[in-house]
Amino acid sequence: MLIEFSVKNYRSFRDETILSMEATKSSTLKSVLIPFGGMPILPSAAIYGKNVGGKSNVIRAFWLAAQFIRSAQRTQHEKAPIPVTPFALNDYSAFEPTKFSFLYTLDGIRYWYSFSATKGKVYTESLYHAPKGRKTLVFAREGQEFSFTEAKARRKLISQVVAENQLFFSVACTMNDVDCAKAMMWFREMIYFSRDYSDIPRQLLEYPNDANILRAISNYAKAADVGIEDMRLLSETSNDSETNLKAISIHQGKDKVGKPSVYTMELSDESDGTRKLMALAPAIESVLTKGGLLLVDGIEKELHPALVEFIVAKFQSRKTNPNGAQIVFTTHNSDLLDMESLRKDQLYFVDKNSEGVSELYSISDFSAHATESIRKGYLLGKYGATPNIEIEEL
């Protein structure tokens, strides 16, 4: 589970920005909280913001860091630039490192991982864990100087092959460092991002042991009342003998004499809203099954507000979310601001100040009167609506 994510000097976020999933002491909707020791964790967080305020950059930052952590050893060859984008509206941030920090849990163990980097090199990096309840250093890094408390000889050898534009964390995993490999599992197996609908067959292949994925997609479609009765996968062989999968939707219809009959459609022929739903459904079901984290930029794009509430409700219920899955999403769906679907500490807002700096803040930081003013302002259109900004490829 994610406990806290922070980013500094990335795109519109010049200063340190923290997204915390640790619940406050509010007595509202306590039944939705995920227990972790004595710390209750939030299952969901909604991020609102006015036009080009920077809310998509929260998801972008998480995505960039996760992708780099997963693949830094493979992709960062000599002189390859690190794909960070620092704050641009001053004359000094471009020369300062961008920093990402994660506090999370996996298999009951708490982990702290962070790194800072410019396009040219990694400045700092560290990993701590608490397998016995006490925070312990796995490794720390300042430039190309490394320190360790355990397995010093082996980790020193690993550090000698880590380039200045690579992460020790990533390289150590390829060299079978047990502690790093355990900590890396969260980034590689427990974090999901929303994808384009055309990728559905590949998503299904990624979860071959989950026989219920297609059934789950059908159930989402039925809940949305889009007319889909079932889903199937058809295999096709291309000219180069490569086998591909095609997702087909099954609809009820009538033949020319009025007799009920079944008809198929390719997803490319479905509505935009149906395709968006189909794209989200495999990731939602996978994360609910495994207990991971799903991040979605613009969850309401092309989806009816009622369907957005249906999806969020799955994470908010211990019955449909028994494994402590989490969802973090950007949205303009004001229906979620009624305080009946989500707690105050699950609602975040992003806004830019006069210097063009985005600031992320929780609605729980404000008084009840201020909270109601924010809600009314949003409903009246004060915060506007901005088109979803797609996350670029790394």
Side-chain angles (χ1 to χ4, degrees):
M1 290 183 294
L2 174 68
I3 299 176
E4 184 178 289
F5 168 68
S6 69
V7 59
K8 181 179 180 181
N9 193 27
Y10 178 73
R11 290 187 177 269
S12 59
F13 289 99
R14 182 192 64 191
D15 307 318
E16 184 180 42
T17 299
I18 299 174
L19 174 69
S20 176
M21 300 298 285
E22 182 178 354
T24 64
K25 295 182 179 180
S26 171
S27 59
T28 305
L29 297 175
K30 293 181 70 173
S31 63
V32 309
L33 301 179
I34 305 168
F36 177 72
M39 179 189 300
I41 304 298
L42 300 171
S44 311
I47 304 174
Y48 290 81
K50 64 181 182 181
N51 291 346
V52 296
K55 63 184 182 299
S56 290
N57 285 338
V58 179
I59 306 296
R60 285 173 180 262
F62 206 113
W63 182 87
L64 171 75
Q67 292 295 92
F68 186 56
I69 292 166
R70 292 167 177 172
S71 58
Q73 190 274 336
R74 291 186 296 105
T75 62
Q76 294 309 107
H77 305 298
E78 185 180 4
K79 296 183 180 180
I82 299 173
V84 294
T85 306
F87 184 76
L89 301 183
N90 61 33
D91 60 356
Y92 56 89
S93 291
F95 306 101
E96 296 179 350
T98 298
K99 183 176 181 180
F100 305 93
S101 297
F102 300 85
L103 170 54
Y104 61 97
T105 70
L106 181 65
D107 296 331
I109 299 176
R110 194 175 308 185
Y111 294 92
W112 296 259
Y113 176 71
S114 68
F115 75 91
S116 65
T118 59
K119 290 184 179 295
K121 66 178 182 179
V122 176
Y123 275 70
T124 63
E125 185 186 5
S126 65
L127 174 66
Y128 293 81
H129 64 171
K132 298 180 180 179
R134 185 165 59 96
K135 185 176 180 179
T136 305
L137 175 69
V138 177
F139 71 85
R141 172 186 190 177
E142 294 281 344
Q144 291 302 96
E145 297 294 324
F146 299 84
S147 58
F148 319 99
T149 56
E150 300 173 341
K152 293 182 179 180
R154 176 174 175 76
R155 288 173 179 160
K156 185 176 181 180
L157 287 174
I158 295 174
S159 70
Q160 293 173 0
V161 300
V162 177
E164 65 176 8
N165 64 343
Q166 292 179 322
L167 297 176
F168 179 93
F169 191 20
S170 303
V171 176
C173 287
T174 66
M175 300 182 74
N176 300 317
D177 184 290
V178 175
D179 292 330
C180 289
K182 288 181 179 178
M184 180 64 78
M185 284 180 62
W186 187 73
F187 290 98
R188 290 183 174 168
E189 300 181 15
M190 307 301 286
I191 300 176
Y192 299 77
F193 294 89
S194 56
R195 292 171 172 168
D196 185 76
Y197 72 88
S198 62
D199 204 24
I200 288 178
R202 186 165 68 85
Q203 290 186 60
L204 295 172
L205 286 176
E206 287 180 359
Y207 317 118
N209 297 324
D210 192 342
N212 296 318
I213 286 291
L214 275 178
R215 186 180 302 115
I217 295 177
S218 299
N219 291 339
Y220 275 80
K222 291 175 182 177
D225 194 23
V226 295
I228 294 177
E229 295 293 324
D230 201 0
M231 294 286 298
R232 295 176 187 169
L233 284 179
L234 299 181
S235 59
E236 295 183 336
T237 303
S238 61
N239 294 334
D240 56 1
S241 299
E242 182 178 348
T243 300
N244 299 309
L245 286 177
K246 178 187 292 186
I248 300 295
S249 56
I250 311 299
H251 292 256
Q252 280 286 350
K254 292 183 179 180
D255 61 18
K256 62 182 178 180
V257 298
K259 183 179 178 180
S261 187
V262 173
Y263 300 90
T264 63
M265 291 178 62
E266 294 187 18
L267 280 184
S268 58
D269 296 325
E270 297 282 0
S271 68
D272 290 344
T274 299
R275 296 199 302 264
K276 176 65 179 287
L277 174 64
M278 297 299 98
L280 283 175
I284 293 170
E285 284 305 306
S286 295
V287 77
L288 287 170
T289 299
K290 295 177 64 175
L293 170 66
L294 172 64
L295 297 102
V296 185
D297 189 17
I299 193 172
E300 81 289 342
K301 185 183 180 183
E302 298 160 350
L303 293 182
H304 190 279
L307 187 53
V308 174
E309 292 192 58
F310 171 78
I311 293 172
V312 174
K314 276 186 164 285
F315 288 83
Q316 293 288 99
S317 169
R318 297 289 293 277
K319 182 178 180 180
T320 52
N321 183 16
N323 298 310
Q326 296 170 294
I327 182 170
V328 175
F329 58 95
T330 64
T331 183
H332 288 294
N333 185 352
S334 57
D335 292 342
L336 297 174
L337 291 172
D338 61 9
M339 303 304 170
E340 294 181 6
S341 301
L342 298 172
R343 294 159 47 99
K344 287 175 62 175
D345 50 8
Q346 292 180 281
L347 300 172
Y348 278 84
F349 280 81
V350 172
D351 200 4
K352 281 185 178 178
N353 63 24
S354 59
E355 299 178 68
V357 176
S358 292
E359 299 174 328
L360 175 71
Y361 49 89
S362 170
I363 202 171
S364 62
D365 296 335
F366 297 86
S367 66
H369 176 74
T371 295
E372 184 61 21
S373 296
I374 291 173
R375 178 178 180 274
K376 287 181 178 178
Y378 203 95
L379 293 175
L380 291 172
K382 178 180 178 181
Y383 288 91
T386 182
N388 181 50
I389 302 174
E390 299 296 334
I391 298 174
E392 68 247 306
E393 293 293 332
L394 184 64

